[in-house]
Amino acid sequence: MKHPIRLILLSTATLLAVALGAAIFLLHTYQSPPVDPEWAVAPSKTIPDDAVTVRYTGTATLVFSDGETTWMTDGWFSRPGPLQALFGKVEPDLDAITKGLQRNEVHDLAAVFPLHSHYDHAMDAPEVAKRTGALLLGSESTANIGRGWGLPEEQIRVVTNREPIALGKFTITPIELRHFQFPNPEMAARALGDPDIDAPLKPPVGAFDYKVGKAYALHVAHPKGTWLILGSAGFVEGALQGYDADVVFLGVGALGSQTDAYRESYWKETVERTDPSRVIPIHWDSLTGPIEGPFTGMVRAAALLSKGPDKLLPFLEAKEAANPNITFITLPRYAPVVLF
Ligand SMILES: [Zn+2]
């Protein structure tokens, strides 16, 4: 007969092995991104002098340029791992920011506009502004992220809901919407409860100290065309009425975890309200994947936050089938694509 202490040690070791195995599975199992590979467009080989181009880093970081003026959303390049984001502290990764700005060939930047103040949108923006001389645009919460990073006040501008901002030939109108509504109540409370950052925020801090602030859709008008950027899959009934757009950059992060009714309402209040001919899904990639190479990462771990992206691709494919007048596109990484 075995000694009871040996048995206890044995079962503890088994438990540890099982826990370790589960952790490795959750953190390192890769899944395909929830977009159709057929939507991928190649980088534009020739770029006319008067073209408007877009470059995509991943999540909701987009760089727009018309050759005269360049500006970007979010400017997020750091990719803290899932354990760090959920249980540790986060701060801008200076090397990742260097790499990200280089890969996007950003030199002069007129503005960086975080679409809301969560870490995966706003954390790096003050450093991007510092390095490029750009204005940091956004809510009072975003301004406090800038102040905590030591960005001079003259580079910070708090925007007003529905008040257009002129940047060269671009006219950007921020429209306040709701952030994506997490179905998990614990996640909703952590990410959306007590929404404002009311004092300068100095990292390293917990990822959820980057509170949401205001969530904006950006309507952009340029002599060449119009577009709408949704960084988060939230909506307000009727809010986008009258903001027609040729292209919608459709934030779909965690949308797979919502109900069918929520997904339908989101589509109706964004795409149907603005009547685009092109839809470009964004924020479908892993928050913890590297910023170079293909769009894969610790997708399963990231999906745990939102209970999985499994319903997203069938939803988008059904919308594509039902709307033959709309072309679905996904962007390559970093390389410029002619938008207009
Ligand atoms: Zn968010």
Side-chain angles (χ1 to χ4, degrees):
M1 200 180 120
K2 279 181 184 163
H3 194 278
I5 290 188
R6 274 181 62 191
L7 258 185
I8 289 167
L9 283 176
L10 204 71
S11 52
T12 310
T14 312
L15 270 179
L16 277 175
V18 169
L20 193 68
I24 288 169
F25 172 74
L26 290 172
L27 297 182
H28 295 284
T29 306
Y30 287 44
Q31 290 175 337
S32 308
V35 287
D36 191 328
E38 284 185 12
W39 297 340
V41 295
S44 298
K45 286 208 182 80
T46 52
I47 296 174
D49 280 347
D50 64 343
V52 173
T53 58
V54 59
R55 294 171 186 258
Y56 185 50
T57 294
T59 62
T61 293
L62 297 158
V63 179
F64 298 98
S65 182
D66 64 359
E68 269 174 45
T69 308
T70 303
W71 65 280
M72 73 194 299
T73 55
D74 290 4
W76 187 58
F77 304 108
S78 301
R79 293 289 186 276
L83 295 178
Q84 200 185 343
L86 286 172
F87 308 111
K89 292 195 167 183
V90 297
E91 64 186 322
D93 176 341
L94 301 180
D95 290 338
I97 295 170
T98 302
K99 215 177 270 174
L101 291 175
Q102 276 172 1
R103 295 293 302 271
N104 278 304
E105 298 182 84
V106 167
H107 309 292
D108 290 321
L109 194 67
V112 53
F113 198 144
L115 299 167
H116 60 269
S117 301
H118 280 152
Y119 82 101
D120 58 321
H121 295 265
M123 183 169 78
D124 297 345
E127 178 62 17
V128 168
K130 214 179 228 184
R131 292 191 193 186
T132 58
L135 272 179
L136 176 65
L137 301 175
S139 67
E140 192 61 49
S141 294
T142 291
N144 274 325
I145 296 171
R147 291 178 187 124
W149 195 248
L151 189 67
E153 205 61 40
E154 58 268 23
Q155 267 178 272
I156 300 174
R157 189 176 300 168
V158 176
V159 305
T160 304
N161 189 23
R162 294 171 188 264
E163 201 172 280
I165 299 152
L167 287 180
K169 294 194 181 93
F170 297 90
T171 304
I172 305 170
T173 306
I175 302 152
E176 269 183 53
L177 297 178
R178 266 193 291 276
H179 183 275
F180 174 73
Q181 300 296 300
F182 296 96
N184 175 334
E186 212 172 294
M187 186 63 191
R190 273 186 98 177
L192 304 176
D194 182 21
D196 298 316
I197 301 169
D198 358 86
L201 184 71
K202 208 171 154 51
V205 291
F208 289 92
D209 290 327
Y210 286 90
K211 297 175 188 175
V212 62
K214 303 254 188 268
Y216 297 107
L218 303 185
H219 183 268
V220 187
H222 186 277
K224 306 277 288 185
T226 53
W227 60 103
L228 184 77
I229 308 162
L230 295 144
S232 174
F235 58 90
V236 169
E237 199 184 324
L240 294 172
Q241 194 59 42
Y243 287 98
D244 279 14
D246 301 315
V247 182
V248 168
F249 292 85
L250 189 69
V252 294
L255 192 58
S257 68
Q258 259 292 358
T259 60
D260 290 337
Y262 183 101
R263 276 186 287 276
E264 285 301 332
S265 300
Y266 179 54
W267 179 268
K268 180 170 170 262
E269 290 299 337
T270 56
V271 178
E272 283 182 16
R273 289 271 183 198
T274 58
D275 195 24
S277 57
R278 282 174 279 172
V279 165
I280 305 182
I282 58 171
H283 217 330
W284 43 263
D285 50 316
S286 170
L287 295 188
T288 57
I291 60 159
E292 296 203 271
F295 287 105
T296 53
M298 298 171 185
V299 178
R300 191 179 295 276
L304 275 183
L305 293 171
S306 57
K307 292 234 176 74
D310 50 320
K311 288 197 175 149
L312 181 55
L313 183 55
F315 170 75
L316 293 174
E317 284 179 328
K319 287 301 174 200
E320 184 189 29
N323 294 278
N325 52 327
I326 298 177
T327 307
F328 277 65
I329 290 166
T330 52
L331 297 170
R333 208 163 214 184
Y334 300 117
V337 168
V338 171
L339 194 58
F340 296 105

